[in-house]
Every structure is written in C-alpha cells, then in structure tokens.
Amino acid sequence: MPERQPLPSRPAPSSRRRFGRRTWTDLGLQSGALVLAFLLTSVILLVAGAPPFQAYVEIAKGAAASFTDISNVLVAWVPLLLASAGVLVTFAAGLWNIGVEGQIVLGAVLTTWVLRLLQDTSLPPAFIVVLAIIAGIVGGALWAALAGILKTFGGVNEIFGGLGLNFVATALTLWLIFGPWKRPGIGSMSGTEPFPEQLGLPTVGGERLSLWSLGLGIVAVIAVYVLLERTHVGLRLKAVGLNQRAAFLLGVPTWQYALLAFLLCGGLAGLAGAVQVTGVYHRLIPSISSGYGFLGLMIGMLIAYKAIWVAPVALFFAALNIGSIQLPIVLKLDSTLSGVLQGALVLFVLLVEGARQRYSRRAPSTMVAGPVPGTSPPDDVGAV
Amino acid sequence: MEIRLIDIRKHFGPVKANDGITLTVPAGTIQGILGENGAGKSTLMKILSGYQHADAGRIELDGRPVHMRSPADAIRHGVGMLHQDPLDFPPMRVVDNLLIGAPGRLIPQRREAVSAVAGLAGSLGLSIDLKAEVGSLTVGERQQLELLRLLWLGARVLILDEPTTGISARQRQELFDTLRRLAAQGKTILFVSHKLEEVEELCTRVAVLRQGRLVGEALPPFRVERLVGMMFEREVTPGERFACTPGKTLLRLAGLGAEHGRIRLEGLDLEVKAGETIGLAGMEGSGQSLLLQTCAGLRPVTHGRIYLDGADLTGKTYRQFKKRGVAYVPATRLEEGLIPGLSLADHFLLTENKPGFFINRERGRRTAEERIARFNIKGTPTSPVESLSGGNQQRALLALVEPGSKLMLLEHPTRGLDVESVIYLWSKLKERCGRGEAIIFTSSDLDELLRYSDRILVFFAGRVSEPLDAATTTVDELGELIGGASRSGDPVDAVSAWPGGDGRAPDDAGCHASGAPENGDA
Ligand SMILES: Nc1ncnc2c1ncn2[C@@H]1O[C@H](COP(=O)(O)OP(=O)(O)OP(=O)(O)O)[C@@H](O)[C@H]1O
Ligand SMILES: [Mg+2]
C-alpha cells in the first residue's frame, strides 16, 4: 500500500522550524553572511589579479546603467521567481526537487512542440501562445510527477530521480534540435528555427521584457506564499514535510500530497520554460533552462524556505547574473564571477544559519526546539 | 560524586521552567525527582547533563564549580544522562555503538572497548552480547547498553529520566539492582519518575519540584500521600471504578489473524460493545500493538474479518477506518503522534473536519484554546509541540482524537502523565465511553489496566487469553498471567511467536522495537 512508503528525506534538517517569525537578529546575521560572501569573492578577485571594488562597480553598472540593463535583469528575474517559488512548495513537503532544471526544459520542449504544431494553422496567434504556455506547464508538471512517482512507488530518492531526469531532458532537447526539429539544412547549437514574432509574448519598448511574463512570475510567487501560509493544503504539505508518519496518522493522505508538491513545482518550472520560449528566445535552444532551476534551489535554501523573501533575493541574483555579463569585456574577467559570488553567498548563509542554531540553543529564553536529529536529547519518555 | 545545584534558573519566554532550584545530592544517593507534568524535572536534568544551559545558577561537583557546555562536556566531568530513543540507534553493532562518543582516537580501539565493557557488565551482573546488532535488542537491553556505555566513559553521576516505560518487569528489577550496586560504589543516581511505588522502592532521597521550584525533600520511609500532597498541593484520590453499561456491539473480530515481524495473531474472536473499555496486558511486543494497529487498518488482516458497527471493514485502508470513526493514538509522541515544528494550533487545524480551503486562524486559535483548557495542557496555541513537557505532549496527543469517534485505540495513553493527570484523563475518556464510544488500550501498568478496563486480554508468548473480568481480577493474578501462568484452563492459542526470523526485533508499534516475548519472564 503506497500509504506506507518510506519517509521522504528531508531538506536541511533545520527546515523543520523554518516557519516561525524572522527576527531582526536573523536579518543581521544574514547581512553578515552577505558581507562575508563579498569578502571571499574579493579575495578570489585579488588572487586573480583584478580590482574587486571596480568589479562590483561594473556589475552594478551592468545591471542598472540603462533601461535595457534593467529590463534584462527583469527578464532573468521571471524564471528565477517561478523556479524558486516552485521549489518552495517541494521544500515545504520535505522534498529536494533537484529535477526542477529538467522540468523547465520539458516545459520549454512542450511549448515549442505546440507552437510548431499550430504555427501554420489559422488559429489566432494569442490563442496558440496561451495553449503553448499551458502545454509547457503540463510538461513541467508531468516531468516532476515522474520523479514523484519514481519516489513514491519505486522507492527512488527524488534527488537521484531528479538528476537522472535532468540528463534525459537535456538529451531530449539536443536530439530534438539536431534531429526532428532541426533548422532547414543543418541543425545547430543556436537552436530550432525561430517562431514568427506574433507567436511570442508582447514585449515592452523594443526590449525582451514582457509584462505578461513579469505578471505571471509575480502572481506565481504570491500564489505560493498564500498557499503555504494561508491554506490547509499548505499546512498539510508542511505536516508531510516535517513528519510524514505522524501526518499520515493524523489523517493527511501523505503520498498524494507529496505528489501534489511535485506537480505544483513542476508546473511552475514548466511555466518558466514556456516563458523562456515564448518571451525570450522564441525558439528551443540547447540550454534553455540556463541553470535557473539550480539557482532557484539555491535561493530556496538561502531564504530558509520563506516565500516572502523570494522576490527580492531572486531579483538580487538576477541582477548579479546580468551585471556580470559585461565583466569579460571590461575587466577581462570571466562572467562566471557572479556564480562564485552566488555560491559563496549560499554557503555563508547556511554557515551562519548553522551557527545561529548552535548559538540559540545556548542563548537564554530562546526556543530550544532542537529537533535536529542527534543533537538534542529526546524527551524523557518521548519514545520507547 | 556529590552534586550541588545552586539557584538554577531557566526561563522559556514567560515560562519559568526552573525558578531558582537549589539541591544537594550526596554521593552514593539514589535521588528520586518527583513533580507534576511540566514541573521542570526534565529541564533540570538536561541542564545538569549539558543538553541545555541554565540562564543563571551554578553547578558544583564534589565541591568544584563546573561549566557544562555540551553532553560531551558533561561526560568528561562524569555526568551522563540515560534516555531511550530507538530512533537514534543506527543499524550497527553494539560494540560500534559503544565507540561512538568515546574520546577521540583515530582508529577505534575495538578490542579494548569490548573487554572493558564486558568486564563492567560482568561486575554489574548484566549480560549483553556485544556483537549483536543494536536493532535486535529490546528496549530494556538498549537501556543496559547505554548505561554501560556511560559508565565506560567514566560517568559517576547517572541521570535517568523516566526510564521504566516500556521495559519488562524483570528488566526493571535488573535495572534497579544495577542502580543499587552503582550507588553502593559511590555513584550518584538521579531518578525521575511518575511511578511513586518505584520511587518508594528504589530511592534513598526524594526531591519534589513544583512550578520550577523545589517544594520539598523527603527521606525514607516515604509517605506516598505526603509526596503526592507536595506534588499537587492537594490530595489526589482515584475515585470509584467507572461502571460500564455496554450497548450494542461496536467492533467484532471474527477469527482475526495478522502478523508483523516475528509476532503473529491467529484466530482471535472478540466483541467490543459500545461504552466498553478493553485493556491489553502483556509484555511489550507480545502482539498488543499489532492488534491495535490491525484494528486501525494499519496492518493487513491475514485471516478472518473485522466488523465495525456491522460493516465489514476487512482490507480497508487506515483512512477509511478513520473516516468511520476509528481513532488510533500511537505510543511514540514525537515520532508518530505529533509533528515537531508545528504549533498546537496547527495540529488542531490539521485535524479539522471539513476545513475548507483557507485557514481560519481565528477558529484554529479558539479550538486550540478550548482543547488546551479541556485537556489541561501547559502551553499556548502557538507553542511548538516539541517545547511541551513530556506529559503535556501526551495530553496534546489525546486532545487530537476527534470528537465523535466511535472506537479509540490507544497505545499507552497515560505514559508519562503524572498521577493526577492519569485520573483526570481517564475521567475524560470515560465520559466518552458514557456517550457510547469504546476504548481498547495497552498499558504496562497493572493497576491502570485493572482500574479502567472492563475486560482485559492478556498477551503472553504466543497466546491471547480469554477476556478477563477486570473487576474480579487481582493485581497478583494479572501479574502471574502476564508472566505466563494460565488461569482457568488453557488460554486460546491466538498469538504465536514467529520462530527463526532474521534475529531482528519485531517492529511492533512502528517504532517500538522489542524482542520476542520473553518466555518465563517475571
Ligand atoms: N524548549 C522549550 N521551549 C519552551 N518551553 C519549554 C521548553 N522546554 C520546556 N519548556 C517548558 O518548561 C516547563 C517545564 O518542562 P519540563 O520538560 O522540564 O517538565 P517536566 O517536569 O519534565 O514534565 P513531564 O513530567 O511532563 O515530563 C514546561 O511548561 C514546558 O512547556
Ligand atoms: Mg519531562
């Protein structure tokens, strides 16, 4: 009976009581982590022989110097918003949806498929685009469901399932781009034949930014926030994430909720893929997900699974990404510098969080919840 | 080692868990620590053993002030705390378990450890197979193992926080003998328990806590009424037996068979009437939990049928059983019963009937407040369940049983409750029986079984007895039956120990891991 499936492995153990109120001390600690991350990156820059301060100035300029820059940041913001909102749902249910990357890809693939299928019909273009986006959502959700089913019924840990499915998704895109969907003549890494302009989302002022996708991203984040904080579905997802056995005994249909979390996350990831195709690239390209899925997972960890922080943190990451594009030209630095900074940031935030928990177990009048397995004594008669 | 706790304070927000406790325990004492649920006993013990840190106060060992920052620190100072949590036991061999936490050498000195611990065990009259897998040990054996480990690490103060739940009578006797021997060697024992008769039997001094303060100490001979008076500031009387007026048949088991691990139930026939309370007695892991879980739809029925209110529920899922009014309350609170990380109010919201889509926080808070008052839980709607004291977690667990269930299946419902709360809780449960609900419960407390059951089934080494009339059975009789004597004629052959197997313990209650029924025990 699937109701007796093994417990889902939990994300970071501390996620268990991440639903409390964030205090000012926490904020102070997080800013400390930010400073440390910049320090570490500066050291790396110095070692590489580049002036750190100038590099940061260049990043800031690259992200906000012109309307184009700002709109590019927003363009990168949308898929990040969607991916991180999605992983929050799976995190809440205690699941590491590593497969989010592949779910973005599948969203893009299905969107492309529907666009290709319908582009020569006489249907109104707007209708085709809407259908294509829905197909993208479905594609992402199904790909996630696959990871979920592998886990629930096949006993495959979602991390391994997700990783495998990511590879399959990448292979699938490459095959499509160089095989059945290749451009007339030769297939190339630049992707499939671009769709006509009317089959894309309308953009603002000649930039790649579409208010539609921006709206979708923001609505998704708000919806996830409301879902997790204000609804019974969210509460049950958290219950499943925190203690699956007890949730089941208290009457929560656990595997169904785990699957639901996958579906929701996959749907949002698929939407991200659909937006990349219809709003940004207007075709399927080999690296359509651009690592936004993994970045979304990082953001999820960084913000300690609190939906309210998705928007600003994702914006910061988007700005870093776009801002550092100019680095190779100006400072002869690799643009992956933003990756270093982001990685350092996540590491330091997790480190500071670990330290905070250690500290708070000591500090007077702080909650000593101590559910981190093995670090706190069970209650006297807790278990026999 | 002499322990002096001086003006220990520990506050959790507005709650003063320890409010200036000063206590001296001379070397060689077996010090009993008594107090109602939430009195601050566990907090004090955790402070002494380095798991928590006092806001203020000092600890002196043999006259020397010490600061203990962690359990490892505490054990270096010779203070060890014993707790039972099988979930913390990874699948490893006993000897490897011993080496965890041993002061650091890169290569574990396995052979040394084995001979040292074997020597220790021998001197205490304990026998433990160091090559066995930890998972195959009974709760009592794990306790002995943990005790040996602490002693081997150099513990001269041993803290036992409610150690006698879930171990057999024989193992309890062994534990007590060991503790006496250790005390005779000059070791100091702190023993927290709600079972007054155990404290009476074992302890050479008693301290009573109440609302975070030390309210009294006593030396033997103890007067139980006086101890109870100090604990609750009033007299506590159990009152009369509850009379039962059985109604129509609620649950019918027809030739029920089920099995899990090495435990097997066979051909069990039973009719439970509305309003009735059935107690399940026997050594832990003799099939009681298996029966409860089978009746809850948590374990598959291998033979026979289960009828509830005339409807055949055989083969239905747990959720279907639940929907039809079967409520199951597991024994392990924080592992299976409650969700650490969620508040009390969240728990009540989670179990709401017809909740709708959006959470109604206001309604959640009101329900929580009402249940907190009704079940006398020390906590607020926003308290995370893991911050409640053991006894209060137990109340929360029982408060979650939906009103309007028909059949309550309770594993050790009063485990960890203080004397007064036990009485209070049963009065609440019996109220529900008065409204036509039935209860089947397990307990290791013979008095509780006799006092609150109408009929009792005794599980022993492969058999379930015919139902006994609780009103006419004595404690001694019940004790003997649990130990294997038969009363009138042979008990029905309904449970059988599964021979062979893989040598691992049956995982009877999902979390319980106890050995095969201990033949000839007690
Ligand atoms: N981590 C915590 N956070 C908040 N309150 C706590 C915490 N730990 C204990 N308390 C509170 O401190 C008080 C004393 O708790 P403690 O566990 O010491 O009681 P106890 O005497 O062991 O009770 P019991 O017999 O029920 O186990 C309780 O009111 C409890 O709610
Ligand atoms: Mg306690």
Side-chain angles (χ1 to χ4, degrees):
Chain A
M1 222 182 303
E3 282 168 343
R4 261 178 244 128
Q5 282 303 307
L7 291 162
S9 51
R10 226 171 278 301
S14 41
S15 71
R16 283 174 157 221
R17 53 201 166 88
R18 284 294 171 67
F19 305 106
R21 202 182 300 122
R22 180 163 288 246
T23 59
W24 286 109
T25 19
D26 283 346
L27 259 179
L29 285 170
Q30 304 287 19
S31 333
L34 196 72
V35 171
L36 286 175
F38 271 101
L39 278 179
L40 178 73
T41 318
S42 306
V43 170
I44 293 173
L45 281 171
L46 284 175
V47 170
F53 185 71
Q54 201 189 338
Y56 298 139
V57 171
E58 288 302 327
I59 290 180
K61 273 203 257 170
S66 67
F67 177 68
T68 309
D69 295 333
I70 294 175
S71 87
N72 280 342
V73 169
L74 294 179
V75 166
W77 190 36
V78 170
L80 266 184
L81 277 181
L82 291 167
S84 3
V87 298
L88 282 188
V89 179
T90 36
F91 273 143
L95 299 162
W96 276 102
N97 186 14
I98 300 286
V100 61
E101 196 67 24
Q103 290 146 25
I104 296 178
V105 172
L106 257 283
V109 166
L110 254 74
T111 304
T112 311
W113 180 61
V114 168
L115 287 177
R116 288 179 67 90
L117 214 61
L118 301 179
Q119 62 179 344
D120 297 327
T121 60
S122 57
L123 293 170
F127 181 68
I128 296 178
V129 171
V130 170
L131 271 188
I133 289 180
I134 292 173
I137 296 175
V138 171
L142 288 181
W143 207 242
L146 215 53
I149 289 167
L150 277 175
K151 182 190 175 70
T152 332
F153 299 99
V156 181
N157 184 305
E158 78 273 13
I159 296 181
F160 302 132
L163 269 179
L165 289 169
N166 284 349
F167 275 109
V168 177
T170 311
L172 178 70
T173 10
L174 287 177
W175 174 70
L176 285 170
I177 290 171
F178 289 95
W181 292 355
K182 72 167 176 256
R183 287 187 172 185
I186 27 116
S188 94
M189 283 305 274
S190 63
T192 58
E193 184 70 25
F195 297 110
E197 200 179 320
Q198 69 269 23
L199 283 185
L201 292 168
T203 55
V204 209
E207 304 296 342
R208 292 194 299 172
L209 177 65
S210 154
L211 291 181
W212 284 96
S213 55
L214 197 61
L216 282 174
I218 292 171
V219 167
V221 170
I222 295 174
V224 165
Y225 174 79
V226 170
L227 181 83
L228 291 182
E229 301 299 326
R230 297 269 184 274
T231 71
H232 280 275
V233 175
L235 181 61
R236 284 184 218 130
L237 284 172
K238 286 182 207 171
V240 172
L242 291 167
N243 186 344
Q244 194 190 25
R245 174 74 181 167
F248 173 69
L249 288 179
L250 288 176
V252 179
T254 46
W255 66 265
Q256 292 92 325
Y257 269 88
L259 217 52
L260 176 71
F262 273 115
L263 283 174
L264 289 174
C265 180
L268 288 168
L271 179 57
V275 163
Q276 292 303 86
V277 171
T278 54
V280 183
Y281 297 107
H282 303 286
R283 61 183 191 273
L284 185 66
I285 60 168
S287 56
I288 188 84
S289 63
S290 323
Y292 286 130
F294 289 131
L295 221 47
L297 281 164
M298 283 223 288
I299 293 175
M301 289 189 279
L302 189 64
I303 61 177
Y305 320 117
K306 296 287 288 180
I308 201 133
W309 292 88
V310 169
V313 175
L315 186 64
F316 180 65
F317 273 41
L320 271 182
N321 266 0
I322 300 298
S324 54
I325 289 178
Q326 294 299 318
L327 287 181
I329 305 156
V330 195
L331 286 176
K332 304 269 169 303
L333 277 171
D334 201 90
S335 65
T336 47
L337 179 68
S338 72
V340 174
L341 191 52
Q342 285 160 359
L345 200 58
V346 171
L347 282 179
F348 278 114
V349 167
L350 293 183
L351 217 64
V352 164
E353 173 64 16
R356 188 185 67 82
Q357 279 177 14
R358 231 156 221 258
Y359 167 78
S360 68
R361 271 197 290 143
R362 223 162 271 188
S365 71
T366 329
M367 207 57 87
V368 186
V372 184
T375 61
S376 120
D379 193 77
D380 34 8
V381 283
V384 172
Chain B
M1 184 144 67
E2 185 201 63
I3 308 165
R4 291 187 57 165
L5 299 165
I6 302 155
D7 199 29
I8 301 286
R9 287 169 196 275
K10 176 80 181 174
H11 296 189
F12 296 103
V15 179
K16 296 179 177 170
N18 284 177
D19 189 15
I21 294 179
T22 300
L23 177 68
T24 304
V25 186
T29 312
I30 305 183
Q31 171 81 50
I33 308 279
L34 289 176
E36 61 181 345
N37 290 132
K41 307 179 293 295
S42 296
T43 305
L44 189 64
M45 296 304 111
K46 286 176 188 165
I47 288 171
L48 179 55
S49 58
Y51 282 105
Q52 287 188 355
H53 304 272
D55 299 348
R58 282 174 296 141
I59 301 175
E60 288 178 8
L61 297 178
D62 278 341
R64 281 204 330 274
V66 289
H67 290 278
M68 285 178 288
R69 270 176 227 99
S70 66
D73 227 18
I75 194 77
R76 267 194 295 279
H77 285 108
V79 180
M81 180 153 165
L82 187 123
H83 44 77
Q84 346 151 259
D85 190 350
L87 288 183
D88 274 348
F89 282 89
M92 50 164 60
R93 287 182 312 157
V94 170
V95 30
D96 296 318
N97 184 273
L98 278 171
L99 291 166
I100 298 179
R105 270 195 229 145
L106 207 53
I107 317 253
Q109 306 288 308
R110 196 167 269 123
R111 195 166 309 155
E112 266 174 44
V114 168
S115 65
V117 173
L120 256 178
S123 74
L124 291 171
L126 299 176
S127 60
I128 194 158
D129 176 8
L130 293 172
K131 303 229 166 53
E133 289 275 330
V134 176
S136 69
L137 303 181
T138 66
V139 177
E141 283 169 337
R142 287 172 190 198
Q143 213 173 46
Q144 294 175 356
L145 169 65
E146 185 63 10
L147 202 74
L148 287 172
R149 193 177 73 87
L150 291 174
L151 290 171
W152 178 59
L153 291 175
R156 284 173 296 155
V157 174
L158 283 170
I159 302 173
L160 297 92
D161 198 350
E162 298 188 50
T164 55
T165 42
I167 64 175
S168 69
R170 188 200 56 187
Q171 282 172 331
R172 183 172 61 214
Q173 223 43 60
E174 268 178 19
L175 176 69
F176 285 6
D177 290 344
T178 309
L179 293 180
R180 285 196 194 96
R181 236 169 262 148
L182 289 170
Q185 295 170 10
K187 302 219 159 47
T188 311
I189 317 278
L190 284 98
F191 184 84
V192 180
S193 178
H194 287 296
K195 298 180 184 163
L196 292 173
E197 63 287 354
E198 288 178 355
V199 171
E200 217 181 339
E201 177 189 340
L202 180 71
C203 297
T204 54
R205 280 172 82 95
V206 164
V208 181
L209 301 189
R210 190 177 149 72
Q211 291 175 358
R213 296 171 163 277
L214 181 73
V215 292
E217 290 188 76
L219 292 168
F222 304 114
R223 277 181 43 231
V224 169
E225 315 84 77
R226 206 173 83 78
L227 294 179
V228 169
M230 281 195 273
M231 284 166 73
F232 304 104
E233 273 184 347
R234 63 186 190 79
E235 251 177 69
V236 176
T237 44
E240 290 301 299
R241 267 189 69 89
F242 293 88
C244 153
T245 41
K248 61 179 175 22
T249 301
L250 198 61
L251 175 78
R252 191 158 72 82
L253 306 179
L256 184 74
E259 68 181 65
H260 183 246
R262 278 177 295 171
I263 305 289
R264 191 157 68 179
L265 279 167
E266 269 168 18
L268 185 68
D269 293 303
L270 180 70
E271 279 196 13
V272 182
K273 308 257 189 258
E276 219 183 0
T277 304
I278 308 280
L280 306 183
M283 232 77 77
E284 198 75 2
S286 308
Q288 305 97 303
S289 295
L290 176 59
L291 176 58
L292 283 191
Q293 290 172 1
T294 310
C295 290
L298 284 164
R299 301 234 175 259
V301 171
T302 52
H303 308 279
R305 315 226 63 98
I306 300 180
Y307 300 93
L308 184 78
D309 245 356
D312 188 350
L313 292 191
T314 320
K316 296 264 190 287
T317 64
Y318 170 73
R319 287 169 51 72
Q320 285 164 319
F321 272 77
K322 195 172 164 67
K323 231 172 247 142
R324 287 163 188 262
V326 178
Y328 166 72
V329 178
T332 48
R333 295 189 279 256
L334 287 181
E335 286 76 24
E336 293 189 283
L338 301 171
I339 301 173
L342 292 189
S343 69
L344 274 175
D346 285 339
H347 279 78
F348 294 117
L349 283 168
L350 207 55
T351 48
E352 243 177 33
N353 254 335
K354 310 221 172 47
F357 186 71
F358 287 102
I359 287 175
N360 185 338
R361 295 252 170 234
E362 182 51 29
R363 195 169 67 207
R365 194 183 54 76
R366 262 186 281 119
T367 323
E369 273 171 359
E370 182 257 326
R371 304 271 183 103
I372 284 172
R374 189 141 54 87
F375 284 83
N376 209 359
I377 301 169
K378 275 191 197 134
T380 63
T382 52
S383 308
V385 286
E386 69 273 19
S387 78
L388 302 177
S389 82
N392 284 298
Q393 287 169 7
Q394 186 66 31
R395 293 172 213 211
L397 195 58
L398 288 156
L400 283 172
V401 176
E402 282 127 74
S405 61
K406 287 180 192 161
L407 174 65
M408 289 186 280
L409 305 167
L410 313 174
E411 275 182 9
H412 300 278
T414 60
R415 173 173 284 179
L417 290 188
D418 62 45
V419 191
E420 188 188 42
S421 308
V422 172
I423 296 168
Y424 182 75
L425 186 93
W426 270 110
S427 74
K428 289 280 153 198
L429 291 173
K430 287 293 180 178
E431 257 173 39
R432 297 179 70 146
C433 286
R435 292 197 297 265
E437 293 181 36
I439 296 175
I440 307 180
F441 76 104
T442 64
S443 175
S444 45
D445 183 334
L446 304 191
D447 288 318
E448 179 180 33
L449 283 163
L450 290 170
R451 173 170 293 279
Y452 300 110
S453 318
D454 299 307
R455 290 183 292 158
I456 298 178
L457 299 182
V458 182
F459 289 64
F460 174 76
R463 285 161 298 179
V464 179
S465 73
E466 286 292 350
L468 310 174
D469 179 5
T472 59
T473 309
T474 66
V475 174
D476 290 339
E477 276 177 313
L478 184 58
E480 275 172 25
L481 283 170
I482 289 174
S486 67
R487 200 191 193 190
S488 46
D490 271 340
V492 193
D493 199 358
V495 179
S496 55
W498 194 242
D502 56 358
R504 286 183 61 92
D507 188 11
D508 195 12
C511 273
H512 282 228
S514 31
E518 293 149 281
N519 290 296
D521 203 356

